Amino acid sequence: MAPALSSAGVLAKWGAAALVAGVLAVAQPTAQPSPPPGPTPGQPSLDFPVPPSGEPSTEPSGEPGTGPGAPPSQIVPRSVNLALRVEPDGRLSVTEQVFVHGVAGMTRHAALRIRAGDRDRVFTIDDLAIDGNGSAETTDDELILRLREGVTTVKYTVDGAVGDVGGHQQVRWQLASGWDVDLRQVRASFAAPSPPENVVCRAGRQGSDTPCESAITDHGQVLRVVQPDLPAGERVDLQVTLPGGTVGANARFDEVARPSAFAITPVSGIGLGVLALVLVGGFGLLWLARGRDTRATATDIGSVEPLVEEGGRVAFASPDGVLPGEVGTVIDEHVDVADVTATVVDLAVRNYLAVRRTAAGWTLVRRNPADAALTGYETAVHTALFRDGPEVALAGLRVDLAPVREDLYASMVRHGWFTRRPDRERTRWTVAGALLALVGAVTTVVLALTVGHALLGLAVVAGGLGLTVGARLMPARTARGSVLVQQVRGLRGFLRGDLAAVPAADREMVLSRSLPYAVVLGESTRWLAHLAGLERVYWFEGDLAAFPEFLRELDAAFAASGQLR
């Protein structure tokens, strides 16, 4: 706030202003409007004394000040002078004097409803009159002024400006608001039957707390407000506190219907749109990646030829060097009991153990210790089986398969068939989706109880649930993994084919080395029919007709560990 002017200073400055006004009145034609007379104590006025130190000049810079419609010397171009007086019945009489110059015109849309918390403060305009080059009208919500070149005076009364608050009365009106051009200056005088107890004057955007340039009470108890350089659309909001019972109170408020917290608003609409784009984009990328896998599992590629000739002998070679235990994990992305069972059969075929049937039941016998030729998960199977000795009975067998499961998943990444471990990737995204849904639920409750836009919280919940569902499809195999799936399907075609081309001398080895793949791919029954023609096999001590029984008991023993499905 600028400091109050002394009485002597005010009178001196008023004398200078009167002298200037008198000289101009003589020099100008009689058609020119005269400045309004100076203020009398206790009354508002459109005419201002020379402004306090530091305020802009009130002289119309560069203007001739002559001719019809020329402005009084106290108004500068694109400026507004106001005189406000509170009447005994509580009405607020307002006179606005506007100088339009240097622009095509000036238009004001002054709101007659101002938000106050959960209510609208409602003002009514009566006795609207205009003198000058323009028009004025009111609607239920606005006072509209459309003014053209020259000085125009608008008069009206405001009903609803005075309210009782805590034993006092408050008078509120926006001196300037809704103008479509920048105002060089806003000046106002305010008078009431009783002197102001407190004055709050704010300038700037709606809702801002920036104080006005100057709001002081002169020796005649008239409040004078000065605000230079007000940008278009901004306001000067004046609130004056008077003693209780000074005038009749007439403030009116309308309750504002609070929209549903779950209503679609611009904010929630944008949030829902962003979520939809993210979900569509995410599932689109996942669909493209999984589509490659779908094509790999659905395309009919026929049989592949895993037989190779080495030194005149025929041998079996798996596609991409995949081991039996890895085949099932590549296909269904899970480590299953069948994967470990096929690994045991493969260890027997490779002479690390033998399968023996005794009167007491099935027994696994260690033939060779685990060595560097075995992978991590194969070593883990060998160690788990023979940790207590060189022989282990299947009856009551309990083994720790956690290391087997861990290394099998890790081998998927080491071989480049997956970019990340499928088990951890799904778990990570599932947990992330669940947490996101929980955060969304909490956010929904908080928003519903506070600012609204609760649909944003529901959008987050939907995103979390979508992420949880999508986690079941993550991660997609790499291109190499998809090719391997196709090759494994071709290997199944080989296992269902004819082995007439395999020489008799190589039949036992070819049938034995490919049997673990038949086990994991569910083709063991068909493959055993080929083995039945052999008198014996080196890795199975017993009748091969009992081999399916051995597989069932081995599956049951591993399932009993509770670590695999």
Side-chain angles (χ1 to χ4, degrees), residues 201-205 208-212 227 230 234-237:
C201 184
R202 305 296 185 192
R205 297 185 302 275
S208 69
D209 291 331
T210 304
C212 299
Q227 179 61 44
L230 186 71
E234 297 190 0
R235 95 310 187 199
V236 176
D237 197 334

Side-chain angles (χ1 to χ4, degrees), residues 39-44 84-85 190-193 218-222 224:
T40 59
Q43 293 296 322
L84 297 89
R85 183 177 65 252
F190 174 94
D218 64 16
H219 66 286
Q221 301 303 315
V222 175
R224 300 192 180 277

Side-chain angles (χ1 to χ4, degrees), residues 55-425:
E55 292 184 7
S57 170
T58 59
E59 289 297 325
S61 175
E63 297 302 319
T66 60
S73 61
Q74 284 76 23
I75 306 182
V76 298
R78 296 200 311 279
S79 67
V80 180
N81 277 5
L82 299 97
L84 297 89
R85 183 177 65 252
V86 181
E87 307 293 349
D89 60 1
R91 292 180 303 147
L92 180 66
S93 296
V94 181
T95 300
E96 294 191 31
Q97 192 176 63
V98 186
F99 180 15
V100 181
H101 181 74
V103 293
M106 293 172 58
T107 301
R108 181 187 185 192
H109 290 266
L112 298 181
R113 285 179 173 268
I114 300 176
R115 180 60 56 89
D118 292 335
R119 300 183 298 173
D120 277 346
R121 185 162 184 175
V122 182
F123 302 90
T124 303
I125 299 296
D126 296 312
D127 305 324
L128 180 61
I130 185 168
D131 180 13
N133 191 11
S135 64
E137 63 176 308
T138 60
T139 67
D140 290 340
D141 299 320
E142 287 184 323
L143 165 63
I144 304 171
L145 305 179
R146 297 183 178 90
L147 310 179
R148 292 180 293 279
E149 184 76 19
V151 177
T152 299
T153 301
V154 182
K155 296 183 179 182
Y156 53 88
T157 59
V158 181
D159 187 66
V162 181
D164 291 326
V165 179
H168 303 270
Q169 288 189 318
Q170 286 185 347
V171 184
R172 183 181 183 185
W173 182 244
Q174 292 193 344
L175 307 179
S177 62
W179 286 104
D180 63 346
V181 299
D182 297 345
L183 299 182
R184 289 180 57 188
Q185 194 164 257
V186 177
R187 288 174 171 268
S189 62
F190 174 94
S194 298
E197 293 183 338
N198 186 48
V199 176
V200 177
C201 184
R202 305 296 185 192
R205 297 185 302 275
Q206 294 288 346
S208 69
D209 291 331
T210 304
C212 299
E213 181 76 11
S214 174
I216 58 177
T217 302
D218 64 16
H219 66 286
Q221 301 303 315
V222 175
L223 173 65
R224 300 192 180 277
V225 176
V226 177
Q227 179 61 44
D229 300 323
L230 186 71
E234 297 190 0
R235 95 310 187 199
V236 176
D237 197 334
L238 180 64
Q239 182 174 289
V240 180
T241 301
L242 302 176
T246 299
V247 296
N250 53 20
R252 293 188 295 114
F253 296 89
D254 281 351
E255 295 293 333
V256 178
R258 186 176 180 179
S260 170
F262 295 93
I264 296 180
T265 64
V267 174
S268 61
I270 292 173
L272 291 173
V274 170
L275 172 69
L277 290 176
V278 171
L279 288 178
V280 170
F283 276 100
L285 292 175
L286 187 59
W287 178 81
L288 290 175
R290 297 298 300 195
R292 180 181 61 210
D293 288 350
T294 301
R295 291 188 297 272
T297 56
T299 304
D300 185 8
I301 63 171
S303 175
V304 299
E305 184 54 61
L307 302 180
V308 296
E309 188 172 344
E310 298 177 350
R313 303 294 299 270
V314 175
F316 175 85
S318 64
D320 203 11
V322 64
L323 296 169
E326 296 168 335
V327 167
T329 307
V330 168
I331 292 177
D332 63 14
E333 304 178 9
H334 289 276
V335 176
D336 303 321
V337 167
D339 303 333
V340 183
T341 297
T343 299
V344 171
V345 176
D346 191 46
L347 290 176
V349 169
R350 291 158 62 189
N351 211 34
Y352 284 96
L353 61 87
V355 179
R356 178 181 301 165
R357 186 175 190 181
T358 66
W362 294 98
T363 301
L364 300 178
V365 181
R366 184 177 63 198
R367 285 187 172 174
N368 288 292
D371 55 24
L374 297 183
T375 65
Y377 82 88
E378 290 175 322
T379 300
V381 171
H382 192 281
T383 301
L385 291 175
F386 301 112
R387 68 177 185 273
D388 296 326
E391 295 187 9
V392 58
L394 293 189
L397 175 66
R398 294 295 183 270
V399 293
D400 181 13
L401 297 179
V404 179
R405 182 185 63 241
E406 291 300 302
D407 198 80
L408 255 177
Y409 280 129
S411 70
M412 300 295 103
V413 179
R414 285 197 301 267
H415 287 296
W417 298 323
F418 289 88
T419 56
R420 293 171 297 276
R421 285 182 49 158
D423 61 324
R424 291 182 179 175
E425 190 71 4

